mmCIF file of all heavy atoms in Angstrom:
data_model
loop_
_atom_site.group_PDB
_atom_site.id
_atom_site.type_symbol
_atom_site.label_atom_id
_atom_site.label_comp_id
_atom_site.label_asym_id
_atom_site.label_seq_id
_atom_site.Cartn_x
_atom_site.Cartn_y
_atom_site.Cartn_z
ATOM 1 N N GLN A 61 -16.632 -5.111 15.111
ATOM 2 C CA GLN A 61 -17.786 -5.542 15.897
ATOM 3 C C GLN A 61 -19.072 -5.113 15.188
ATOM 4 O O GLN A 61 -19.409 -3.932 15.154
ATOM 5 C CB GLN A 61 -17.723 -4.941 17.302
ATOM 6 C CG GLN A 61 -16.469 -5.303 18.086
ATOM 7 C CD GLN A 61 -16.382 -6.798 18.372
ATOM 8 O OE1 GLN A 61 -17.397 -7.445 18.642
ATOM 9 N NE2 GLN A 61 -15.165 -7.333 18.315
ATOM 10 N N MET A 62 -19.775 -6.077 14.621
ATOM 11 C CA MET A 62 -21.024 -5.781 13.933
ATOM 12 C C MET A 62 -22.180 -5.729 14.936
ATOM 13 O O MET A 62 -22.456 -6.699 15.630
ATOM 14 C CB MET A 62 -21.315 -6.828 12.865
ATOM 15 C CG MET A 62 -22.650 -6.629 12.149
ATOM 16 S SD MET A 62 -22.741 -5.032 11.285
ATOM 17 C CE MET A 62 -21.814 -5.426 9.811
ATOM 18 N N THR A 63 -22.822 -4.578 15.035
ATOM 19 C CA THR A 63 -23.988 -4.414 15.892
ATOM 20 C C THR A 63 -25.196 -4.097 15.023
ATOM 21 O O THR A 63 -25.066 -3.752 13.842
ATOM 22 C CB THR A 63 -23.767 -3.267 16.893
ATOM 23 O OG1 THR A 63 -23.619 -2.029 16.158
ATOM 24 C CG2 THR A 63 -22.503 -3.503 17.727
ATOM 25 N N ASP A 64 -26.375 -4.196 15.599
ATOM 26 C CA ASP A 64 -27.589 -3.878 14.843
ATOM 27 C C ASP A 64 -27.571 -2.427 14.388
ATOM 28 O O ASP A 64 -27.967 -2.106 13.251
ATOM 29 C CB ASP A 64 -28.830 -4.148 15.698
ATOM 30 C CG ASP A 64 -29.061 -5.638 15.934
ATOM 31 O OD1 ASP A 64 -28.512 -6.436 15.153
ATOM 32 O OD2 ASP A 64 -29.766 -5.977 16.900
ATOM 33 N N GLU A 65 -27.088 -1.531 15.254
ATOM 34 C CA GLU A 65 -27.033 -0.106 14.899
ATOM 35 C C GLU A 65 -26.076 0.119 13.729
ATOM 36 O O GLU A 65 -26.380 0.860 12.791
ATOM 37 C CB GLU A 65 -26.589 0.720 16.103
ATOM 38 C CG GLU A 65 -26.493 2.217 15.829
ATOM 39 C CD GLU A 65 -25.978 3.006 17.009
ATOM 40 O OE1 GLU A 65 -25.724 2.402 18.075
ATOM 41 O OE2 GLU A 65 -25.819 4.242 16.859
ATOM 42 N N LEU A 66 -24.881 -0.536 13.778
ATOM 43 C CA LEU A 66 -23.915 -0.379 12.697
ATOM 44 C C LEU A 66 -24.478 -0.964 11.409
ATOM 45 O O LEU A 66 -24.328 -0.370 10.326
ATOM 46 C CB LEU A 66 -22.605 -1.077 13.054
ATOM 47 C CG LEU A 66 -21.504 -1.074 11.977
ATOM 48 C CD1 LEU A 66 -21.187 0.338 11.523
ATOM 49 C CD2 LEU A 66 -20.251 -1.780 12.491
ATOM 50 N N ARG A 67 -25.137 -2.106 11.486
ATOM 51 C CA ARG A 67 -25.709 -2.719 10.282
ATOM 52 C C ARG A 67 -26.736 -1.778 9.633
ATOM 53 O O ARG A 67 -26.773 -1.623 8.410
ATOM 54 C CB ARG A 67 -26.356 -4.053 10.634
ATOM 55 C CG ARG A 67 -26.915 -4.788 9.404
ATOM 56 C CD ARG A 67 -27.498 -6.133 9.768
ATOM 57 N NE ARG A 67 -26.449 -7.095 10.097
ATOM 58 C CZ ARG A 67 -26.141 -7.483 11.340
ATOM 59 N NH1 ARG A 67 -26.824 -6.971 12.373
ATOM 60 N NH2 ARG A 67 -25.193 -8.357 11.554
ATOM 61 N N GLN A 68 -27.554 -1.131 10.444
ATOM 62 C CA GLN A 68 -28.552 -0.202 9.902
ATOM 63 C C GLN A 68 -27.883 0.984 9.229
ATOM 64 O O GLN A 68 -28.329 1.443 8.170
ATOM 65 C CB GLN A 68 -29.482 0.268 11.033
ATOM 66 C CG GLN A 68 -30.402 -0.828 11.561
ATOM 67 C CD GLN A 68 -31.217 -0.365 12.756
ATOM 68 O OE1 GLN A 68 -31.110 0.782 13.197
ATOM 69 N NE2 GLN A 68 -32.019 -1.261 13.298
ATOM 70 N N ARG A 69 -26.805 1.507 9.818
ATOM 71 C CA ARG A 69 -26.107 2.643 9.225
ATOM 72 C C ARG A 69 -25.462 2.230 7.895
ATOM 73 O O ARG A 69 -25.466 2.981 6.930
ATOM 74 C CB ARG A 69 -25.044 3.191 10.176
ATOM 75 C CG ARG A 69 -25.609 3.906 11.383
ATOM 76 C CD ARG A 69 -24.610 4.925 11.932
ATOM 77 N NE ARG A 69 -23.303 4.353 12.189
ATOM 78 C CZ ARG A 69 -22.939 3.786 13.334
ATOM 79 N NH1 ARG A 69 -23.836 3.680 14.324
ATOM 80 N NH2 ARG A 69 -21.722 3.315 13.501
ATOM 81 N N LEU A 70 -24.879 1.039 7.873
ATOM 82 C CA LEU A 70 -24.240 0.568 6.652
ATOM 83 C C LEU A 70 -25.248 0.385 5.532
ATOM 84 O O LEU A 70 -25.004 0.777 4.385
ATOM 85 C CB LEU A 70 -23.513 -0.756 6.917
ATOM 86 C CG LEU A 70 -22.264 -0.664 7.801
ATOM 87 C CD1 LEU A 70 -21.807 -2.052 8.211
ATOM 88 C CD2 LEU A 70 -21.141 0.076 7.102
ATOM 89 N N VAL A 71 -26.379 -0.195 5.855
ATOM 90 C CA VAL A 71 -27.412 -0.412 4.845
ATOM 91 C C VAL A 71 -27.914 0.907 4.284
ATOM 92 O O VAL A 71 -28.247 1.022 3.107
ATOM 93 C CB VAL A 71 -28.572 -1.245 5.432
ATOM 94 C CG1 VAL A 71 -29.765 -1.273 4.480
ATOM 95 C CG2 VAL A 71 -28.107 -2.662 5.731
ATOM 96 N N SER A 72 -27.920 1.951 5.117
ATOM 97 C CA SER A 72 -28.416 3.257 4.661
ATOM 98 C C SER A 72 -27.520 3.875 3.602
ATOM 99 O O SER A 72 -27.949 4.749 2.846
ATOM 100 C CB SER A 72 -28.542 4.214 5.850
ATOM 101 O OG SER A 72 -27.259 4.606 6.339
ATOM 102 N N HIS A 73 -26.263 3.432 3.510
ATOM 103 C CA HIS A 73 -25.337 3.989 2.519
ATOM 104 C C HIS A 73 -25.564 3.412 1.126
ATOM 105 O O HIS A 73 -25.238 4.036 0.129
ATOM 106 C CB HIS A 73 -23.882 3.711 2.928
ATOM 107 C CG HIS A 73 -23.425 4.498 4.111
ATOM 108 N ND1 HIS A 73 -23.242 5.857 4.087
ATOM 109 C CD2 HIS A 73 -23.117 4.102 5.369
ATOM 110 C CE1 HIS A 73 -22.828 6.275 5.276
ATOM 111 N NE2 HIS A 73 -22.739 5.234 6.069
ATOM 112 N N PHE A 74 -26.065 2.203 1.044
ATOM 113 C CA PHE A 74 -26.188 1.518 -0.233
ATOM 114 C C PHE A 74 -27.567 0.919 -0.407
ATOM 115 O O PHE A 74 -28.172 0.437 0.547
ATOM 116 C CB PHE A 74 -25.153 0.375 -0.342
ATOM 117 C CG PHE A 74 -23.731 0.834 -0.395
ATOM 118 C CD1 PHE A 74 -22.931 0.774 0.729
ATOM 119 C CD2 PHE A 74 -23.186 1.338 -1.559
ATOM 120 C CE1 PHE A 74 -21.622 1.186 0.687
ATOM 121 C CE2 PHE A 74 -21.872 1.760 -1.617
ATOM 122 C CZ PHE A 74 -21.086 1.688 -0.488
#
Side-chain angles (χ1 to χ4, degrees):
Q61 301 296 322
M62 177 61 80
T63 63
D64 290 340
E65 180 183 358
L66 177 55
R67 183 178 288 104
Q68 291 175 0
R69 289 205 307 271
L70 290 169
V71 170
S72 71
H73 289 292
F74 293 101

